[in-house]
């Protein structure tokens, strides 16, 4: 298989965010994904793990090394790693020292944790006025559910996403990827860049406040727009679109194919390719509102003609006529598809295989540095750079404030 090599990418120090110092106190998905995107674009990111570690290290199988799951690996590459017990006063003194030389702080503690440790928002702003503080929570810090923890699926349920996902006669379903967590990570990345841009003018940092709830509700379009405009509670439509038809998955001769008709011209082209041009003149199907009102009849009229074609052949014929269509790929088919390979979206370096940054820049492209550090692999180096001498570091280790470990092997696979 063809994979993009990191050798073709920019050398360290040349990314768009080169020189930016980031402290990643987050765990699980949204925060680590945000920090990884910053690292891919050149930021110097240090992940601070508690002694128990980020729980996603154990979210497997598969595992890429003892104590490091594939899940963890693909959210925490290109970060230095230190282990500090922030529940201890001495650990918070270390945090205090590290923050003096930090541009961006990313954290997803339970709301109120930093304040309990002596870092309420106003204190952070007073002591570190240029710091961009990105906070990721489930429901926010205040309000009726302020401070309540939340995982992706919980917010899919609370935020309405599950209610519109699934078959019309089936139960609500969780979206098959952690879409709320991942989009929150992307929005956090965007918010940090906005705050950094504004800092060039004011010299001041600010709070980037991201919640999984805000993300979930923002993803409800077009269902939210429809309810706000008409008051009808949206129903589940399976893979079909609620306001466009035909925009759905059909069964071709050798498997499922998705056909997305966005206008009347495309519908006429679809009926021509399928050999049923008369459907375009049928009063039930002439316009999109007509087709939406008669979706069941339309689907019944299209199923037979679609089933007569192999899906890849049909998708190619439709695309050539300006009708968007694609075979419904599984994950393996998607990650080995020619266009995915052409875009360099799957990267391979030594023992690492992962997904590239989705943000492409022409002059300063993202550089995937695949190494995933073991827990505490950079504790001594980072603390030494922050001004701690060998004696102080050894004393902190002996007291259980920090933990140091050997760096992972050069293959890019981490060890603990």
């Amino acid at each position: 298989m063809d994979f993009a090599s990191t050798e073709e990418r920019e050398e360290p120090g040349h990314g768009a965010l080169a020189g930016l110092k980031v402290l990643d106190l987050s765990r699980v998905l949204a925060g680590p994904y945000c920090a990884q995107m910053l690292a891919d674009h050149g930021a110097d990111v240090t992940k601070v793990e508690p002694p128990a570690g980020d729980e996603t290290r154990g979210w497997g199988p598969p595992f890429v090394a003892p104590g490091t799951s594939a899940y963890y690996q693909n959210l925490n590459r290109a970060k230095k790693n230190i282990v500090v017990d922030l529940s201890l006063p001495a650990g918070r003194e270390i945090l205090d020292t590290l923050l003096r030389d930090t541009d961006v702080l990313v954290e997803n503690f339970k709301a109120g944790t930093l304040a309990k440790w002596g870092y309420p928002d106003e204190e952070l702003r007073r002591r570190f006025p240029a710091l961009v503080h990105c906070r990721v929570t489930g429901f926010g810090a205040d309000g009726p559910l302020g401070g309540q923890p939340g995982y992706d699926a919980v917010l899919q349920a609370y935020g309405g996403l599950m209610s519109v996902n699934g078959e019309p006669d089936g139960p609500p379903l969780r979206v098959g990827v952690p879409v709320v967590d991942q989009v929150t990570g992307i929005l956090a990345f965007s918010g940090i860049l906005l705050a950094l841009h504004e800092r060039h003018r004011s010299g001041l940092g600010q709070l980037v406040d991201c919640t999984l709830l805000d993300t979930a509700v923002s993803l409800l379009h077009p269902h939210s727009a429809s309810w706000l405009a008409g008051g009808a509670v949206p129903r589940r439509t399976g893979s079909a679109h609620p306001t466009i038809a035909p925009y759905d998955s059909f069964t071709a001769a050798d498997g499922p194919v998705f056909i997305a008709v966005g206008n009347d011209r495309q519908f006429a082209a679809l009926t021509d390719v399928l050999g049923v041009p008369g459907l375009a003149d049928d009063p039930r199907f002439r316009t999109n509102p007509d087709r939406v009102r008669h979706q069941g009849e339309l689907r019944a009229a299209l199923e037979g003609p679609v089933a007569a074609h192999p899906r890849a052949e049909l998708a190619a014929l439709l695309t050539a006529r300006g009708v968007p269509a694609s075979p419904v790929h599984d994950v393996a088919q998607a990650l080995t598809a020619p266009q995915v390979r052409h875009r360099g979206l799957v990267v391979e370096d030594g023992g690492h295989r992962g997904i590239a940054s989705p943000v492409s820049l022409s002059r300063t492209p993202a550089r995937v540095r695949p190494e995933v550090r073991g827990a505490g692999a950079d504790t001594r180096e980072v603390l030494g750079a922050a001004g701690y001498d060998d004696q102080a570091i050894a004393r902190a280790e002996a007291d259980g404030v920090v933990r140091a470990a050997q760096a992972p092997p050069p293959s890019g696979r981490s060890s603990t």
Side-chain angles (χ1 to χ4, degrees):
M1 289 180 283
D2 264 341
F3 294 99
S5 169
T6 56
E7 294 175 2
E8 300 168 0
R9 298 175 179 266
E10 289 287 305
E11 291 302 312
H14 290 83
L17 300 178
L20 188 74
K21 292 195 173 180
V22 179
L23 204 58
D24 178 13
L25 305 187
S26 66
R27 57 185 180 79
V28 188
L29 204 168
Y33 184 45
C34 166
Q36 179 172 278
M37 290 182 70
L38 296 170
D40 283 346
H41 284 276
D44 180 0
V45 179
T46 298
K47 183 177 176 80
V48 182
E49 289 194 53
D54 185 325
E55 56 260 52
T56 62
R57 283 187 180 272
W59 285 12
F63 292 92
V64 297
T68 301
S69 66
Y71 191 111
Y72 178 92
Q73 180 194 51
N74 278 279
L75 294 169
N76 291 284
R77 64 183 177 227
K79 303 176 185 179
K80 298 172 185 173
N81 189 291
I82 69 175
V83 173
V84 182
D85 190 343
L86 296 177
S87 70
L88 301 175
R92 297 195 289 276
E93 289 177 11
I94 291 173
L95 174 61
D96 203 67
T97 300
L98 295 176
L99 284 173
R100 294 172 197 164
D101 194 32
T102 293
D103 295 297
V104 177
L105 170 66
V106 180
E107 54 93 2
N108 62 352
F109 293 117
K110 183 179 177 182
T113 299
L114 280 182
K116 180 182 71 176
W117 287 345
Y119 294 99
D121 292 347
E122 60 274 13
E123 182 66 10
L124 272 176
R125 285 194 296 271
R126 184 187 69 80
R127 297 183 57 201
F128 309 102
L131 180 70
V132 172
H133 171 201
C134 179
R135 180 173 67 206
V136 178
T137 59
F139 291 88
D142 49 23
L145 296 182
Q148 182 169 309
Y151 277 109
D152 175 275
V154 173
L155 271 299
Q156 287 195 35
Y158 187 89
L161 288 174
M162 284 179 62
S163 77
V164 295
N165 190 51
E167 295 300 324
D169 56 352
L173 292 178
R174 179 183 69 86
V175 178
V177 296
V179 61
V180 175
D181 266 333
Q182 288 192 263
V183 174
T184 300
I186 294 167
L187 293 175
F189 174 78
S190 303
I192 287 168
L193 298 184
L194 290 171
L196 290 170
H197 179 74
E198 193 279 336
R199 192 175 73 170
H200 286 301
R201 296 197 303 269
S202 67
L204 298 173
Q206 59 184 298
L207 175 66
V208 179
D209 184 12
C210 295
T211 78
L212 302 185
L213 176 60
D214 295 358
T215 298
V217 172
S218 75
L219 289 173
L220 282 175
H221 185 82
H223 305 287
S224 55
S226 296
W227 182 81
L228 290 168
V233 177
R235 62 183 181 85
R236 288 182 292 285
T237 57
S239 60
H241 197 285
T243 59
I244 311 172
Y247 196 101
D248 202 351
S249 178
F250 293 84
T251 301
D254 57 348
V257 61
F258 198 94
I259 300 171
V261 169
N263 56 52
D264 298 339
R265 178 192 59 77
Q266 290 176 345
F267 182 64
L270 168 67
T271 61
D272 190 43
V273 168
L274 292 178
V276 286
L279 289 180
D281 296 320
D282 189 312
R284 297 171 298 171
F285 311 137
R286 279 180 185 153
T287 69
N288 183 67
D290 295 328
R291 293 191 292 274
V292 170
R293 281 192 291 267
H294 298 93
Q295 279 198 65
E297 298 157 86
L298 176 61
R299 182 174 180 87
L302 294 175
E303 282 178 336
V306 170
H309 297 266
R311 60 184 189 159
E313 175 188 296
L314 178 59
L317 289 170
L318 290 174
T319 301
R321 293 290 300 274
V323 181
S326 172
V328 178
H329 288 152
D330 62 25
V331 173
Q333 290 166 337
L335 296 185
T336 55
Q339 188 65 18
V340 171
R341 295 199 303 266
H342 173 75
R343 293 287 299 172
L345 289 168
V346 177
V347 294
E348 183 175 63
D349 192 310
H352 175 83
R353 295 170 80 188
I355 303 301
S357 171
V359 179
S360 298
L361 301 178
S362 61
R363 222 169 19 84
T364 54
R367 177 180 178 270
V368 176
R369 292 165 288 164
E371 187 176 31
V372 178
R373 307 292 279 175
D378 303 293
T379 299
R380 296 188 186 103
E381 176 192 336
V382 170
L383 295 188
Y388 289 87
D389 59 27
D390 290 344
Q391 268 190 325
I393 296 171
R395 187 163 56 250
E397 284 189 77
D399 292 342
V401 178
V402 305
R403 193 175 83 213
Q406 295 300 313
S411 68
R413 297 194 174 199
S414 63
S415 61
T416 54

